[in-house]
Amino acid sequence: MTDSVEHLAKSVRKVMSTGKDRSPRWLKDAANSTTRAYAMATAAYRPLPDFLIVGTKRGGTTSLFNYLLEHPSVLPMFPAARGKKSPYYFFEEYHRGAVWYRSHFPTQAYRRRMERILGNPVVAGEGSPYYLYDPWGAEKIHELMPDVKSIILLRDPVKRAYSHYWERVGQGSEPLSFRDALAAESQRLATEHDRMMADRNFYSREHDFHSYRDRGIYLPQLQRWFEKFPRENVLILRSEDLYADEQAILNQTCDFLGIPHHTMSSFKQHNEQRPDPMPDDIREELREFYAPHNEQLYAYLGRDFGW
């Protein structure tokens, strides 16, 4: 890489880190484009991520990812100023190719420099809660990263469904009531699933956005994951345990990733919601619906999640 390109890349990173919020849209786009071009030109020197946080939706994935980013041994995606959790490569951006994906992670030289400074290993990763639910997610990820470590957070599926619904309402993509959205789910997803199975590169926003009930049936998702990845490379966490004791779950995650413990001064919940109470009859219907699925999950994992 020439000195002029290196200088340009540094200038772009400076603009993004110091003036991003005040810059006009055209300047942001130009900075993003130039930075990505530089990252792709150096992609051969950028190792693939060590870990992925793959699920579940509304299970605390964003909070855990941000707690990890405060750990000095966890390196952010490139460029750090973007503050991204995921490039959404394995579903929305798969057509861009592996070089584009690699361009989002720190270089080997930077990793080695940080390891010398810290005196211990460093890791890099990304996370999307759709990776676990996507019927092709495990296969695509395994093809590129068969040894990657996966972190899975599982939340009470009743509360998960309601939280997922309110996220969609808040983002303007759900016009129905929760009751009507649950009633419409099967029809919304039926043809989408068939299209996805026929074309593994087809991304369905309906399948991602409006899968309130189905996404809480965890066993088929985990079985699909364990068909591709060994259990020792997968950490399954209970979301309620994260909410109750963030430091303990962070320590457990650090042990899994092979990095030292890091004591946080404070914990902020990300994407926190305070929705209206769920109607009692809907809560009871969902609990009855999930009960046999939860029991099958507990038997499969040898662990009772208490839902």
Side-chain angles (χ1 to χ4, degrees):
M1 191 65 62
T2 65
D3 291 342
S4 61
V5 176
E6 289 282 8
H7 178 72
L8 178 58
K10 290 178 181 178
S11 298
V12 169
R13 292 196 293 271
K14 183 177 180 181
V15 168
M16 294 181 71
S17 64
T18 60
K20 182 179 178 182
D21 292 340
R22 298 187 299 273
S23 301
R25 181 72 260 169
W26 68 265
L27 182 57
K28 295 177 186 178
D29 291 342
N32 291 340
S33 178
T34 304
T35 303
R36 187 54 49 210
Y38 163 74
M40 289 187 67
T42 57
Y45 308 104
R46 299 178 181 275
L48 290 165
D50 304 283
F51 73 90
L52 301 173
I53 300 180
V54 302
T56 183
K57 182 74 172 174
R58 303 305 303 170
T61 58
T62 299
S63 291
L64 181 58
F65 187 80
N66 280 281
Y67 300 157
L68 285 170
L69 282 185
E70 294 192 39
H71 193 304
S73 298
V74 179
L75 306 182
M77 294 176 62
F78 179 84
R82 292 289 301 277
K84 292 187 69 173
K85 181 175 75 171
S86 176
Y88 310 123
Y89 170 63
F90 292 99
F91 53 102
E92 281 193 86
E93 307 291 352
Y94 198 60
H95 62 282
R96 294 184 182 272
V99 171
W100 181 86
Y101 183 59
R102 280 182 177 272
S103 74
H104 290 81
F105 301 101
T107 63
Q108 184 64 50
Y110 180 68
R111 291 171 65 112
R112 288 173 177 166
R113 183 163 66 251
M114 292 304 298
E115 287 178 345
R116 288 195 299 269
I117 292 171
L118 296 171
N120 57 253
V122 299
V123 295
E126 59 117 337
S128 169
Y130 190 58
Y131 288 160
L132 181 66
Y133 185 57
D134 180 357
W136 295 108
E139 178 173 306
K140 288 179 178 179
I141 291 168
H142 183 265
E143 287 174 357
L144 185 62
M145 302 181 295
D147 298 321
V148 73
K149 291 188 173 183
S150 307
I151 301 168
I152 299 173
L153 289 137
L154 299 179
R155 182 183 182 184
D156 180 337
V158 176
K159 295 179 180 178
R160 194 222 67 79
Y162 198 49
S163 181
H164 187 178
Y165 166 78
W166 278 105
E167 180 186 63
R168 297 274 71 91
V169 170
Q171 295 181 355
S173 59
E174 180 54 87
L176 303 179
S177 68
F178 186 48
R179 189 184 306 274
D180 290 343
L182 289 174
E185 182 173 324
S186 294
Q187 183 176 357
R188 279 173 159 179
L189 300 188
T191 57
E192 297 301 292
H193 186 266
D194 291 343
R195 292 178 69 185
M196 295 178 71
M197 297 310 297
D199 178 5
R200 75 174 200 159
N201 294 331
F202 172 69
Y203 166 60
S204 169
R205 289 173 65 86
E206 285 283 354
H207 187 262
D208 188 359
F209 281 23
H210 298 135
S211 46
Y212 308 123
R213 183 192 297 266
D214 188 60
R215 206 149 169 173
I217 304 174
Y218 297 131
L219 180 57
Q221 302 173 55
L222 292 179
Q223 289 174 324
R224 195 162 57 227
W225 205 262
F226 285 127
E227 286 176 2
K228 299 295 181 181
F229 300 101
R231 291 208 179 195
E232 61 266 23
N233 281 1
V234 182
L235 175 64
I236 298 179
L237 302 169
R238 184 173 173 268
S239 299
E240 291 79 7
D241 294 336
L242 174 66
Y243 304 146
D245 191 342
E246 297 96 334
Q247 186 66 59
I249 294 301
L250 179 60
N251 290 346
Q252 186 177 350
T253 306
C254 289
D255 291 339
F256 174 67
L257 296 177
I259 57 177
H261 290 185
H262 175 68
T263 302
M264 299 277 289
S265 59
S266 64
F267 290 91
K268 173 187 176 183
Q269 284 195 8
H270 296 261
N271 298 334
E272 186 178 9
Q273 295 175 331
R274 297 188 183 277
D276 296 334
M278 189 188 311
D280 291 340
D281 64 317
I282 299 180
R283 180 185 293 104
E284 185 57 31
E285 187 274 326
L286 286 175
R287 291 212 176 281
E288 291 180 4
F289 171 80
Y290 284 122
H293 296 291
N294 290 342
E295 289 302 322
Q296 293 170 12
L297 174 70
Y298 302 160
Y300 179 73
L301 294 177
R303 177 181 175 188
D304 190 331
F305 283 72
W307 299 324

